[in-house]
């Protein structure tokens, strides 16, 4: 018995240890970014999309639910936060809370509709709902149509943190990303996360064990929508605008692409995937419309050579949990 127990300890503790070491390395690298001379706007944008991709990965990677409509949560939170800051004059912290709550409420409404279906039908329903909201926002006066909401004031967080300073704003975005990431990490490594994985692997068996799978999937959907909205609210302070681009179906496609490139069902894969895609958009902008073609080619190469995604292949090769 002693031998069995000693052999069992590493198998339960090593994954947690690997993940925490990776988290400390990631946090350390992100903390020193302002000291490296890297363009801060690029990194802040990458952090917002990394959180968005992690929220999406929570739903598909651990719940097995493919959503093609996550752009509606990003865009809704962005519009509500921008309107709250510019028109209502709310401070940044209340603007973020308002936008995040709007995305959560939208998650409840759309989740009750979409969660009744599975597989491709779930994906198509989320896509249809997202496009419906796109055309609503195109016509709604408060979004200013194709012009979007421009010139959003950054203000002072909690009355004394000046977000107009790029370095200060960077660390605020970083703290927001880390908080959202830790919420996702905790959800994955909890009894709730274990049930989600069971549903993903074999939903009929989970039902036979007495779990109300629809309730768990709905909770995962709402949590994913809320965190996606939180990312959208943070993005408003980086870009200082809210536009239809964030609600369009192509944004949902980019979220899927980020997750697949980084590694579906991995914790750190969506972070890497988000930075890869944002870096390509940033540094290949000179190629114009060819950026999309280059992204497609890279995606095909990744699918053929890194079938588990970049982080997924690294984790599989080294037998580590990432």
């Amino acid at each position: 018995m002693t031998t069995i127990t000693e052999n069992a300890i590493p198998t339960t503790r090593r994954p947690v240890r690997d993940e925490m070491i990776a988290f400390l390395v990631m946090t350390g690298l992100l903390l020193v970014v302002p000291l490296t001379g890297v363009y801060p706007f690029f990194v802040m944008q990458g952090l917002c999309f990394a959180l968005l991709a992690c929220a999406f990965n929570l739903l598909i990677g651990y719940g097995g639910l493919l959503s093609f409509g996550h752009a509606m949560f990003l865009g809704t939170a962005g519009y509500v936060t921008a309107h709250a800051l510019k028109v209502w004059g709310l401070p940044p912290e209340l603007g973020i809370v308002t936008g995040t709550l709007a995305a959560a409420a939208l998650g409840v409404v759309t989740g009750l509709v979409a969660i009744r279906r599975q597989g491709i039908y779930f994906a198509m329903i989320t896509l249809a709902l997202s496009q419906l909201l796109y055309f609503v926002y195109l016509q709604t006066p408060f979004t200013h149509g194709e012009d979007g909401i421009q010139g959003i004031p950054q203000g002072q967080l909690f009355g004394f943190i000046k977000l107009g300073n790029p370095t200060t704003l960077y660390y605020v975005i970083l703290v927001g990303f880390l908080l959202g990431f830790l919420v996702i990490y905790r959800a994955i490594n909890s009894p709730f996360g274990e049930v989600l994985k069971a549903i993903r692997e074999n939903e009929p068996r989970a039902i036979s064990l007495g779990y109300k799978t629809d309730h768990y999937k709905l909770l995962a959907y709402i949590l994913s929508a809320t965190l996606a909205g939180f990312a959208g609210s943070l993005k408003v302070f980086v870009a200082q605008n809210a536009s239809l681009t964030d609600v369009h179906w192509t944004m949902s496609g980019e979220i899927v692409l980020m997750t697949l490139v980084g590694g579906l069902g991995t914790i750190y894969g969506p972070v890497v995937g988000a930075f890869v895609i944002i870096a390509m958009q940033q540094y290949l902008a000179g190629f114009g419309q060819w950026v999309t073609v280059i992204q497609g080619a890279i995606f095909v190469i990744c699918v053929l050579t890194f079938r588990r995604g970049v982080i997924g292949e690294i984790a599989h090769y080294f037998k580590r949990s990432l």
Side-chain angles (χ1 to χ4, degrees), residues 5-28:
T5 305
E6 289 176 352
N7 292 337
I9 290 174
T11 60
T12 56
R13 291 185 177 177
R14 196 180 76 176
V16 176
R17 183 190 63 190
D18 295 342
E19 292 162 4
M20 292 310 299
I21 291 174
F23 177 78
L24 292 175
V25 171
M26 178 184 71
T27 303

Side-chain angles (χ1 to χ4, degrees), residues 72-270:
M72 61 181 166
F73 306 122
L74 176 76
T76 297
Y79 273 129
V80 173
T81 298
H83 187 78
L85 294 173
K86 187 172 184 179
V87 180
W88 296 343
L90 294 182
E93 61 274 13
L94 291 182
I96 293 173
V97 171
T98 304
T100 305
L101 289 177
L106 180 62
V108 173
V109 175
T110 57
L112 289 172
V113 175
I115 213 70
R116 299 172 184 273
R117 295 293 180 266
Q118 298 178 356
I120 190 63
Y121 302 105
F122 174 84
M124 291 298 100
I125 288 175
T126 54
L127 175 61
L129 291 172
S130 180
Q131 281 301 95
L132 173 63
L133 273 179
Y134 171 81
F135 288 110
V136 169
Y137 289 148
L138 181 63
Q139 302 296 331
T140 304
F142 91 94
T143 63
H144 301 283
E146 295 181 353
D147 295 329
I149 304 177
Q150 308 290 335
I152 301 166
Q154 293 174 319
Q156 296 185 4
L157 188 68
F158 302 118
F160 66 94
I161 303 176
K162 296 182 180 180
L163 299 181
N165 185 305
T167 303
T168 303
L169 179 61
Y170 171 80
Y171 283 113
V172 169
I173 299 298
L174 175 58
V175 170
F177 163 75
L178 292 177
L179 287 175
F181 184 87
L182 288 174
V183 169
I184 295 172
Y185 178 81
R186 183 69 188 97
I188 292 170
N189 294 280
S190 68
F192 171 75
E194 295 301 321
V195 175
L196 277 184
K197 296 171 190 175
I199 295 172
R200 177 195 63 191
E201 296 299 327
N202 195 323
E203 186 172 353
R205 180 174 295 177
I207 294 174
S208 68
L209 293 174
Y211 292 108
K212 297 181 179 180
T213 57
D214 283 349
H215 292 180
Y216 282 92
K217 291 191 291 185
L218 179 60
L219 286 175
Y221 184 90
I222 295 172
L223 179 59
S224 179
T226 303
L227 291 169
F230 182 52
S233 294
L234 293 178
K235 183 175 176 292
V236 166
F237 295 92
V238 178
Q240 290 189 271
N241 68 73
S243 65
L244 286 170
T245 304
D246 291 340
V247 198
H248 199 258
W249 67 269
T250 53
M251 178 59 70
S252 295
E254 285 189 14
I255 299 169
V256 176
L257 184 61
M258 291 173 186
T259 307
L260 292 178
V261 168
L264 183 67
T266 62
I267 298 174
Y268 296 94

